[in-house]
Amino acid sequence: MMNVVGMLDELQTRVAHNEEWKRRLLATREEAEPLSAFCRVCRELGYELFFAGLEGKRH
């Protein structure tokens, strides 16, 4: 099982080559709860990210 940082790194790499994924993830910025929306789209794309897992993960 990949950790949160590993999932985000992999997702970033894959999004760089997939315009549809990029469009969907960028659209989450316009949502009332952007971080929750981002995590929801990530889960739809196969990445088990949840808002609680991202809290405090700032570098």
Side-chain angles (χ1 to χ4, degrees):
M1 184 168 158
M2 203 179 317
N3 66 23
V4 172
V5 174
M7 283 189 272
L8 290 173
D9 283 343
E10 181 178 304
L11 183 62
Q12 183 177 20
T13 300
R14 292 186 71 185
V15 165
H17 303 287
N18 189 316
E19 287 298 319
E20 174 65 16
W21 283 24
K22 183 177 182 178
R23 182 194 61 75
R24 289 181 65 194
L25 289 168
L26 289 175
T28 64
R29 293 177 173 180
E30 307 303 320
E31 298 283 335
E33 296 289 335
L35 189 52
S36 293
F38 178 83
C39 291
R40 183 190 73 246
V41 171
C42 287
R43 288 191 305 274
E44 291 170 2
L45 298 174
Y47 292 88
E48 291 298 314
L49 289 175
F50 296 89
F51 180 73
L54 296 177
E55 293 176 314
K57 295 289 183 189
R58 298 183 183 163
H59 293 273

